[in-house]
Amino acid sequence: MHSNAIPPEISGPSGGIPEATVARLPVYLRALYGLAERGISTVASEELAAAAGVNSAKLRKDLSHLGSYGIRGVGYDVDYLVYQVSRTLGLTQDWPVVIVGAGNLGRALANYGGFVSRGFTISAMLDSDPAIVGSRIARLTVRHVDELEAVVARHKVAIGVIAAPASSAQAVCDRLVAAGVTSILNFAPVVLNVPEGVDVRKVDLSIELQILAFHAQRRSAARPEADPAHGHHRGAVNGTPSRPPVTSEFAAQA
């Protein structure tokens, strides 16, 4: 719908790269950047796999989708593999990004320096709060959300980041899609409904923390820690485990 369309290599079934492989490519790229920073010019599949946290057979199969098979006894050329992965992910060009929501989370995202080095330019920040509109964040002047459509057109925005509260996330998403944005990164704790042809990636830190709490609980269950003063486990009332409050909003959305 706009000039920055996703490259054909990964734009669907015709590309021939499985979604699971695509999801791992950024992990490989991060590991490769780390190797390059250490001055390593070639890397064996086993070493790269270990750095990326996968097994070497899976890594070799993933990279074969890119046409990269390495050299037996030598391994992969790090710089060339960086180029191959970057090209496949569409990172050999700049991607204009707009952030909608200039609260704590939006500010943190705008100030993160890692986006530019990966080909993502924060072109604009939008908010509806009169106290925030007009302020400067990361060398950007926050615009009113009423300007969303004009901002998307002016900067040829390819990716929209929603860092707004859950109550307004769907409306923001609808406007981004109507303006021609087909790639959305959603930080709001809500499932967005989008038409076919629009890609949404959801990041919910509270869910990730709850999953970690589940695993921590399982580990602690194997070695229960008794309260020496009362003879029952911590977090229990009269021997009955207490229940933590459930929250529906990610605090950083405010």
Side-chain angles (χ1 to χ4, degrees):
M1 298 175 73
H2 45 70
S3 59
N4 288 317
I6 297 176
E9 292 94 344
I10 58 172
S11 62
S14 61
I17 301 181
E19 282 294 325
T21 296
V22 174
R24 287 188 290 269
L25 291 181
V27 181
Y28 300 152
L29 187 59
R30 181 177 60 193
L32 287 164
Y33 276 126
L35 294 169
E37 288 171 0
R38 288 156 49 196
I40 297 174
S41 58
T42 58
V43 61
S45 60
E46 291 79 7
E47 183 181 358
L48 180 55
V54 301
N55 64 63
S56 58
K58 180 177 293 183
L59 177 135
R60 287 192 294 269
K61 182 175 181 180
D62 286 343
L63 296 182
S64 71
H65 290 293
L66 281 58
S68 184
Y69 297 93
I71 300 174
R72 185 177 297 276
V74 176
Y76 296 92
D77 181 281
V78 171
D79 287 341
Y80 184 64
L81 196 52
V82 166
Y83 167 73
Q84 280 190 304
V85 176
S86 298
R87 180 189 61 187
T88 302
L89 289 173
L91 303 182
T92 53
Q93 66 182 93
D94 290 330
W95 295 97
V97 177
V98 62
I99 298 175
V100 183
N104 294 333
L105 179 58
R107 290 169 183 265
L109 293 170
N111 281 296
Y112 176 58
F115 291 138
V116 174
S117 63
R118 299 296 188 270
F120 302 97
T121 302
I122 308 301
S123 299
M125 290 194 70
L126 305 173
D127 204 281
S128 61
D129 187 345
I132 296 177
V133 173
S135 63
R136 298 279 291 180
I137 299 176
R139 294 179 293 182
L140 291 170
T141 298
V142 179
R143 318 296 298 183
H144 197 280
V145 72
D146 287 348
E147 300 181 43
L148 186 150
E149 290 78 9
V151 165
V152 169
R154 184 184 312 129
H155 296 285
K156 295 182 172 60
V157 169
I159 299 171
V161 176
I162 298 178
S167 57
S168 59
Q170 184 63 58
V172 169
C173 176
D174 292 343
R175 290 181 61 189
L176 286 170
V177 172
V181 177
T182 56
S183 297
I184 295 173
L185 181 61
N186 176 36
F187 283 90
V190 63
V191 176
L192 298 176
N193 295 313
V194 297
E196 187 176 353
V198 176
D199 295 311
V200 176
R201 300 290 295 182
K202 179 173 171 53
V203 179
D204 192 325
L205 301 184
S206 65
I207 287 179
E208 299 303 323
L209 286 172
Q210 290 173 58
I211 293 171
L212 286 173
F214 166 79
H215 291 293
Q217 177 180 250
R218 291 188 64 185
R219 285 193 298 271
S220 65
R223 52 180 191 281
E225 182 180 356
D227 186 330
H230 301 287
H232 57 259
H233 300 305
R234 291 179 181 177
V237 178
N238 296 326
T240 302
S242 61
R243 186 186 242 170
V246 177
T247 57
S248 60
E249 289 285 339
F250 174 43
Q253 303 297 329

